[in-house]
Amino acid sequence: MLHDIKRHVNMKLSPKVITGALHAQNKGASDWGWQGLLSYGCHGFVVVVDPKTIQVLQVLAKHKGNVVKVKWAKENYHHDLGNPYSLRLASGDSNGVIIVWDVSAGVAKAEFSEGTKPIQDLEWLTYQDASHDLLVALHPPYSLVLWNADTGTKLWKKSYTEPLLSFSFDPFNSKNVACKAMHGQQN
């Protein structure tokens, strides 16, 4: 029995590590997709990896600033020949630019911005049936903006009196949003 345990302990396993040097602004720029893929920001690039094989599937290059946020769209709704499936990902950079990607094709579908400060947070508005192309972004220091992610059209904007750090939708009622503010902290 002890011999069997030692034999298993001495197994040679290949480490599953994604290597590469990141910029400090890439901290927090990663997201697991519902399809099992991992995306992350690496300087001004968005890297898409299959975590099971550690294989890089796609590198998306169009940002001029460092990628600070990435967020997979929840694409688990009906598709047909007229509305084919597309693997969508939103990324925001340190220059305030948001890009919505068709990951399978490796192309940017839309690009838009609201100011030039780094994107603070991104979230797809998925708790409704009317549209699957709504993206909410936190544009520092005070504004939440609802974007049509297919066209880059600003649909709604709410500004607050305190600097915001992040936000989250109520999973039971998407009309409710919680925002984390910077109470008394210095930028």
Side-chain angles (χ1 to χ4, degrees):
M1 174 96 157
L2 184 59
H3 182 263
D4 289 337
I5 292 173
K6 284 185 176 180
R7 187 174 42 154
H8 290 294
V9 171
N10 293 329
M11 290 176 21
K12 298 286 184 187
L13 297 176
S14 299
K16 300 266 180 157
V17 176
I18 301 169
T19 60
L22 302 179
H23 192 278
Q25 288 181 319
N26 296 134
K27 181 181 178 181
S30 63
D31 193 32
W32 288 93
W34 62 270
Q35 71 295 82
L37 300 178
L38 173 69
S39 63
Y40 66 95
C42 181
H43 293 270
F45 301 97
V46 177
V47 181
V48 178
V49 175
D50 179 351
K52 291 179 183 173
T53 63
I54 309 299
Q55 180 181 2
V56 173
L57 302 176
Q58 190 68 270
V59 177
L60 306 168
K62 189 166 183 178
H63 284 286
K64 293 186 180 23
N66 290 314
V67 175
V68 296
K69 288 291 175 188
V70 293
K71 190 61 82 168
W72 285 102
K74 311 254 187 298
E75 299 279 353
N76 54 355
Y77 59 92
H78 177 72
H79 299 281
D80 57 24
L81 290 176
N83 298 301
Y85 172 81
S86 67
L87 194 55
R88 290 189 309 163
L89 177 70
S91 58
D93 69 22
S94 59
N95 295 333
V97 175
I98 298 169
I99 299 176
V100 177
W101 302 92
D102 178 336
V103 175
S104 299
V107 298
K109 300 302 276 180
E111 184 177 335
F112 43 92
S113 66
E114 168 84 9
T116 58
K117 292 189 178 182
I119 298 300
Q120 195 75 26
D121 208 353
L122 290 172
E123 191 70 45
W124 290 91
L125 188 58
T126 58
Y127 307 109
Q128 42 78 38
D129 293 325
S131 178
H132 297 277
D133 58 355
L134 301 178
L135 181 68
V136 180
L138 176 51
H139 295 273
Y142 309 109
S143 299
L144 279 176
V145 178
L146 175 65
W147 295 96
N148 178 318
D150 286 344
T151 64
T153 304
K154 186 184 340 177
L155 302 173
W156 174 86
K157 180 178 179 179
K158 171 72 177 166
S159 294
Y160 296 86
T161 56
E162 293 189 44
L164 301 176
L165 298 173
S166 63
F167 69 96
S168 179
F169 287 109
D170 178 344
F172 303 106
N173 183 350
S174 63
K175 293 179 183 176
N176 297 328
V177 64
C179 296
K180 182 178 179 183
M182 215 188 224
H183 297 289
Q185 296 178 0
Q186 297 293 324
N187 287 339

